[in-house]
């Protein structure tokens, strides 16, 4: 991004000046003039010294208007109300006098008096002015009644080209028919015949704005901003003649913004020439009286609140007949402006793509995580840094950001790893950058944790399966035992100890005995070796 700064010689000088002289009709009783260094300046404002911030909107194209502004800056213990009144910011004491917050620094005095300017001309405002500003340039005066912020707009017709100084003296209403000077200030401005304008150069994904380094095969926007605060060029026919310095030919347009793409790298010098065809006011139809224009300025020129007075000499133009048709050249004014700069164009990272996305489950001691492997490729120059940003499903809220330096390689292909502990839909932005370029890409994906289990869960599950198999085996074995061997019924076997032993051979007993058996000994034989 490039901004051409307007060459305006603007300086704020708030120190007292001794060259601001009065003119013959000056009312020194109401508007006293204090010399430089007068000790009364120290007491001209309660609570401290008032400073002045003076500026203007030059450079000004000859024939246009120039505006001057002034803002009064009061001591820090005071503040300005929306209506322009100055009050104390807090309770305090100044020179032995106590003041309260929001109390007026200078209470309103008697308003039963006629407000006039220093030259005696009445002030045409409904409200008595708190401040009067007297501006001086070219030996002429302009008088403005206003609040603590004020402005003055004047014409530059007939004024020679060059740099000038505008002086201003500031008065504050203090009592009936009495104003006190707060000080003087000066401000420099310039009048030119060259159209003032600025040019900005901008390219998408430019790493360092304003360094005049750009990327080939990517459009650069050239934008012109005309400096015309008084709208002098509002009715002009303005054309822009561009030469981008790469032998692509000239481009003539009336658009303020054009784009151009450099297809090769190297150094270039783009430039533009502006032409404005301005209607000449001298060709306007005459209205009753001859048209007048200001002549050379004199020392006694005075204006009242921006309204010129008749004390300066005028040059009279001859009145045109109604049927007189001036030529086109007689009715237009041509003004020009030009700009050029040097830029460097480099090969950049042309394109970044996500070519593959793989997910897998990684088991950790505390929890399982999904691993997302993102394969990214690029074209053009190689990157030095890669950054990835994980966002929510709406691609608005960043969740995680990671940036890493890239090792030099012949091919531009990287695999980025990201870990997720929750299922859901996410967005990812991947950017690659080097010293001169930046390229980005994005994608949306989903993560599904599935029904995976941890290693401890797997072990528990295996033990459960083994116990279940063992239990099933025991039941099957006991069932077979119970079905194959029957205790002899009473009356079939002989009486003796075998009967009571046979009765204890239940299924539960068999299972318990089986679990506790040792070797091949049968502790509950259903058959004996001897005959029955």
């Amino acid at each position: 991004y490039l901004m051409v700064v307007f060459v305006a010689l603007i300086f704020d000088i708030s120190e007292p000046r001794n060259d601001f002289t009065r003119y013959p009709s000056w009312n020194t009783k109401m508007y006293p003039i204090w010399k430089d260094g007068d000790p009364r300046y120290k007491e001209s404002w309660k609570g401290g010294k008032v400073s002045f911030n003076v500026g203007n909107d030059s450079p000004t194209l000859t024939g246009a208007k120039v505006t001057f502004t002034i803002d009064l800056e009061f001591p820090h213990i005071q503040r300005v109300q929306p209506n322009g009144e100055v009050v104390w910011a807090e309770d305090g004491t100044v020179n032995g006098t106590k003041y309260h917050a929001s109390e007026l620094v200078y209470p309103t005095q008697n308003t039963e008096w006629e407000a006039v300017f220093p030259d005696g001309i009445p002030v045409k405002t409904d409200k008595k002015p708190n401040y009067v500003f007297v501006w001086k340039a070219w030996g002429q005066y302009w008088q403005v009644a206003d609040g603590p912020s004020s402005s003055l707009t004047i014409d530059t017709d007939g004024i020679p080209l060059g740099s000038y100084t505008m002086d201003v003296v500031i008065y504050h209403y203090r009592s009936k028919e009495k104003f006190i000077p707060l000080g003087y200030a000066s401000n420099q401005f310039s009048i030119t015949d060259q159209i003032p304008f600025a040019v900005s150069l901008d390219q998408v994904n430019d790493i360092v704005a304003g360094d005049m380094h750009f990327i080939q095969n990517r459009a650069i926007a050239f934008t012109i901003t005309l400096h015309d605060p008084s709208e002098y060029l509002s009715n002009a026919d303005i054309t822009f003649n561009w030469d981008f310095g790469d032998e692509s030919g000239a481009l003539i347009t009336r658009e303020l913004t054009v784009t151009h793409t450099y297809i090769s790298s190297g150094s270039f010098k783009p430039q533009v020439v502006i032409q404005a065809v301005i209607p000449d006011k001298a060709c306007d139809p005459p209205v009753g009286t001859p048209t007048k224009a200001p002549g050379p300025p004199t020392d006694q020129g005075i204006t009242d609140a921006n309204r010129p007075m008749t004390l300066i000499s005028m040059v009279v133009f001859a009145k045109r007949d109604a049927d007189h048709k001036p030529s086109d050249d007689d009715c237009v004014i041509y003004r020009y402006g030009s700009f050029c700069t040097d830029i460097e164009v480099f090969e950049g990272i042309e394109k970044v793509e996500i070519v593959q996305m793989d997910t897998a489950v990684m088991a950790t001691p505390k929890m399982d995580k999904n691993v997302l492997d993102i394969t990214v490729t690029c074209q053009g120059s190689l990157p030095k840094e890669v950054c990835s940003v994980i966002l929510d499903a709406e691609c608005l809220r960043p969740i995680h950001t990671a940036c890493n330096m890239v090792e030099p390689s012949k091919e531009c292909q990287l695999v980025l790893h990201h870990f997720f502990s929750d299922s859901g839909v996410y967005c990812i932005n991947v950017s690659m950058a080097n010293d001169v370029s930046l390229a980005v890409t994005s994608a949306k994906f989903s993560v599904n944790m599935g029904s995976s289990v941890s290693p401890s869960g797997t072990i528990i599950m295996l033990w459960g399966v083994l116990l279940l198999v063992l239990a099933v085996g025991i039941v099957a074995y006991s069932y077979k035992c119970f079905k194959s061997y029957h205790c002899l019924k009473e009356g079939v076997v002989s009486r003796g100890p075998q009967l009571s032993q046979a009765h204890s051979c239940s299924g539960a007993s068999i299972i318990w005995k089986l679990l506790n058996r040792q070797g091949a000994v049968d502790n509950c034989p259903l058959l004996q070796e001897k005959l029955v």
Side-chain angles (χ1 to χ4, degrees), residues 207-222:
I207 289 292
V208 182
D211 64 352
M212 305 307 293
H213 291 170
F214 301 97
I215 306 303
Q216 71 181 43
N217 297 321
R218 188 180 300 173
I220 302 174
F222 296 78

Side-chain angles (χ1 to χ4, degrees), residues 361-376:
V361 177
M362 174 180 289
T364 62
K366 293 184 178 180
M367 65 175 65
D368 293 341
K369 292 184 178 180
N370 261 34
V371 181
L372 177 66
D373 293 334
I374 304 172
T375 304
V376 184

Side-chain angles (χ1 to χ4, degrees), residues 13-54:
I13 305 176
S14 56
E15 298 179 356
R17 300 176 58 87
N18 54 15
D19 60 349
F20 200 101
T21 57
R22 64 183 182 182
Y23 45 85
S25 59
W26 192 287
N27 186 343
T28 57
K29 182 179 179 181
M30 182 178 293
Y31 295 91
I33 296 179
W34 296 345
K35 295 182 179 180
D36 188 9
D38 194 306
R40 289 175 289 183
Y41 279 114
K42 296 181 180 180
E43 305 297 330
S44 63
W45 189 267
K46 294 179 183 178
K49 184 180 179 181
V50 178
S51 58
F52 317 112
N53 184 13
V54 187

